[in-house]
Amino acid sequence: MAEAISAAEQDTMLSQSTLALIIALAFSGMHVFGKSMVFLRTTPRSAWLSIAGGVSVAYVFGHLLPELAAHQETFRRETEENRGFLSGLESHTYLIALLGLAVLYGLDRLARTSARNEERAGRDKRPSRGAFWLHLGSFAIYNMLIGYLLLHREETDVRSLIIYGIAMRLHFVVNDQGLREHHGRTYDREGRWILAVAPLLGWGIGLMTELPLLAIGSLFAFLAGGVVLNVLKEELPEDRESRFSAFALGTGAYAALLLTSH
């Protein structure tokens, strides 16, 4: 009987790993084929991008942050047992989410400042090569993290995996178009291919390794902060002429999906 249960569990794990791979390929496809989505590159901002941004934010506040609360409890138990220097902190995971937001914001500001400096110097209004690779490298790690978490989340059922996959796939659309606007032809020629490989690499690492619970909680927290920053920086600037109604539609519809799926 034990062997039969073990075999069933192995089949479930295999099917979820296969589904996770399909989702990782879908993530990659958003970077590979994003160049062809010219209907998204409009002013006022495409309603589809605003909807995608709304879905991403709804996922963070409706799903990721509640998961962070569970990881926070794990942090509390571990630090109290080990009496480490973090044992006095009450909000470990939320502070890491703040760190994720701050780090990615700093890198985004670096790219924008570099672009202004290049323009003042009479060159192309794009970030320098150094700023490009630093910015791209941060997003490559970010994409790897999203790919890794396909296999390692607080909730491991198929429903949760599909919900995560839908939200992050739309988030990839927003990020891809934002990076294309930042870096232009350099991104299309080099950057998008690296970012397309990154989620598959993250999935492969997740298949072969499993980090401790505290590390997975930290990765989740960093991701949550990054998603909030990346969506809001694309939606809030006035020159985007973003569509609040489309953003609200995406947020409300996905929040309803999260509520009905529990």
Side-chain angles (χ1 to χ4, degrees), residues 58-77:
Y59 180 76
V60 168
F61 286 93
H63 202 274
L64 272 185
L65 292 184
E67 284 199 30
L68 285 186
H71 285 295
Q72 177 59 39
E73 180 61 21
T74 302
F75 263 93
R76 187 191 63 77
R77 289 196 307 268

Side-chain angles (χ1 to χ4, degrees), residues 44-254:
R45 185 170 174 81
S46 167
W48 295 109
L49 284 180
S50 291
I51 289 172
V55 168
S56 299
V57 169
Y59 180 76
V60 168
F61 286 93
H63 202 274
L64 272 185
L65 292 184
E67 284 199 30
L68 285 186
H71 285 295
Q72 177 59 39
E73 180 61 21
T74 302
F75 263 93
R76 187 191 63 77
R77 289 196 307 268
E78 292 291 329
T79 53
E80 283 184 356
E81 290 175 3
N82 297 326
R83 301 289 182 180
F85 74 98
L86 293 175
S87 58
L89 294 178
E90 298 295 331
S91 305
H92 307 76
T93 55
Y94 302 105
L95 291 174
I96 295 170
L98 176 61
L99 176 65
L101 186 150
V103 168
L104 290 177
Y105 177 68
L107 291 169
D108 182 73
R109 293 304 303 168
L110 173 67
R112 293 178 185 273
T113 301
S114 176
R116 286 196 296 269
N117 292 339
E118 291 292 302
E119 185 180 24
R120 292 193 190 104
R123 294 185 286 269
D124 187 26
K125 188 183 176 181
R126 298 294 181 191
S128 66
R129 291 289 291 178
F132 166 73
W133 285 112
L134 186 60
H135 200 207
L136 189 78
S138 69
F139 271 91
I141 295 171
Y142 184 77
N143 283 9
M144 286 176 58
L145 168 59
I146 292 173
Y148 179 85
L149 291 175
L150 282 168
L151 296 171
H152 302 287
R153 301 177 320 286
E154 184 71 18
E155 297 181 15
T156 58
D157 57 288
V158 171
R159 176 191 60 81
S160 173
L161 176 58
I162 292 173
I163 288 175
Y164 176 80
I166 293 171
M168 292 299 102
R169 188 167 186 262
L170 292 174
H171 185 53
F172 270 68
V173 175
V174 175
N175 288 349
D176 181 75
Q177 296 302 321
L179 288 166
R180 180 168 290 102
E181 183 177 337
H182 263 311
H183 301 288
R185 286 176 295 179
T186 306
Y187 175 73
D188 282 333
R189 188 173 58 250
E190 304 170 55
R192 66 185 175 120
W193 300 106
I194 294 172
L195 296 189
V197 171
L200 294 172
L201 184 57
W203 173 86
I205 294 172
L207 194 64
M208 294 183 293
T209 63
E210 183 172 357
L211 295 174
L213 288 177
L214 292 185
I216 292 176
S218 299
L219 294 178
F220 246 105
F222 195 91
L223 174 63
V227 170
V228 171
L229 182 277
N230 283 324
V231 172
L232 295 185
K233 76 180 177 64
E234 294 295 332
E235 287 292 325
L236 292 183
E238 290 186 9
D239 60 356
R240 301 286 192 193
E241 297 186 36
S242 299
R243 300 172 185 266
F244 175 74
S245 58
F247 180 84
L249 174 63
T251 303
Y254 203 76

